[in-house]
Amino acid sequence: MRQRGRRVAVPVLLVALVCALTVHLAGRAGGADPSRCDRFAAASSARAQQVTGSGARVVVIGDSWSVGLGLADASTSWPSRLPGSVHVAGFSGSGFSEQASECGAVSFADRAPGALRDGADLVVVEGGLNDFDQTDAAITAGFTRLVGELAGLRVVVVGPASAPSRALAVPRVDALLASLAARYDVAYVRTSGLALTYLDDRLHLTAAGHRAFGDAVARQVGRQVGRRVASLSDRPGS
């Protein structure tokens, strides 16, 4: 009886494992949690309506860091530290590669046309942390598509910081993005060496972390594009 029970239990266990794996893969391919994607879309739309600063039109295409996920006031996310009239086109979970997000066509290249509908004097693309589990080929393909969408515009790419939960993957992604930026003659800002403060999830920045990240990026963007950066003492919350 025990042997018969074991013979029955093993196939049942295998079937259960296969079903679980199938559900997981199907969810990743088609968006495992529609309500989560809906929340991300709503947050993206809300942040896009919060324009900070004045002057030259700066469009930031990015991920949850740009959106300000986890902040009490999303309008204070790091792009608010940049000089100019700053417009944020962020979407949590998105990245350079097509499959970085489970929420459909929300990669940076996918969203660039909409983000640039009203033009831009400068485009800042920030990301890479959500590409941590993507292949070099997938990241390269997404970056190449993005460059095509941004042709003729002044562009700065901001690479990933070393968020503790994904720090092991950052050197590979950072090096790849830097090499791609050099290949396409796009300015690149490294942030992997910054000392930043993170929320308990060890992935998203605290309010202080956003200020530090934004100020560092603002300084580097000013150097990269050869234009004077507004005094940081004049930025909100300095």
Side-chain angles (χ1 to χ4, degrees):
M1 290 295 290
R2 292 195 193 95
Q3 291 177 345
R4 178 181 174 83
R6 282 197 294 270
R7 286 198 297 270
V8 172
V10 171
V12 169
L13 178 59
L14 288 175
V15 170
L17 288 173
V18 170
C19 289
L21 180 60
T22 301
V23 169
H24 170 74
L25 292 176
R28 181 163 181 83
D33 185 352
S35 63
R36 182 167 178 262
C37 293
D38 288 343
R39 291 196 301 273
F40 287 169
S44 174
S45 178
R47 186 62 181 89
Q49 297 175 38
Q50 298 169 320
V51 180
T52 58
S54 61
R57 184 181 179 87
V58 178
V59 174
V60 176
I61 300 174
D63 52 23
S64 58
W65 283 29
S66 295
V67 174
L69 184 65
L71 292 179
D73 181 0
S75 70
T76 63
S77 64
W78 74 265
S80 68
R81 312 296 292 181
L82 298 175
S85 176
V86 182
H87 302 253
V88 177
F91 195 100
S92 297
S94 65
F96 292 91
S97 50
E98 196 67 33
Q99 300 300 320
S101 171
E102 300 174 352
C103 296
V106 295
S107 73
F108 297 158
D110 289 323
R111 293 187 289 109
L116 300 170
R117 188 174 296 113
D118 296 321
D121 296 302
L122 173 68
V123 181
V124 178
V125 183
E126 170 270 317
L129 282 177
N130 293 318
D131 297 288
F132 77 105
D133 60 351
Q134 299 297 300
T135 65
D136 287 4
I139 297 172
T140 299
F143 193 100
T144 302
R145 279 189 60 217
L146 177 65
V147 169
E149 296 290 349
L150 303 180
L153 295 170
R154 179 173 287 181
V155 179
V156 176
V157 172
V158 179
S162 296
S165 67
R166 296 182 182 175
L168 291 178
V170 167
R172 175 184 70 91
V173 176
D174 191 25
L176 177 58
L177 292 175
S179 68
L180 289 169
R183 179 191 304 178
Y184 290 104
D185 195 26
V186 174
Y188 187 71
V189 173
R190 287 184 181 273
T191 66
S192 53
L194 295 178
L196 304 169
T197 53
Y198 294 85
L199 298 174
D200 290 342
D201 64 6
R202 302 170 69 240
L203 177 60
H204 295 98
L205 296 171
T206 63
H210 274 276
R211 290 193 294 272
F213 185 80
D215 288 351
V217 171
R219 286 190 293 269
Q220 289 299 318
V221 166
R223 296 188 185 113
Q224 291 284 5
V225 301
R227 53 191 295 190
R228 184 177 179 277
V229 177
S231 172
L232 293 177
S233 63
D234 295 333
R235 305 305 299 167
S238 296

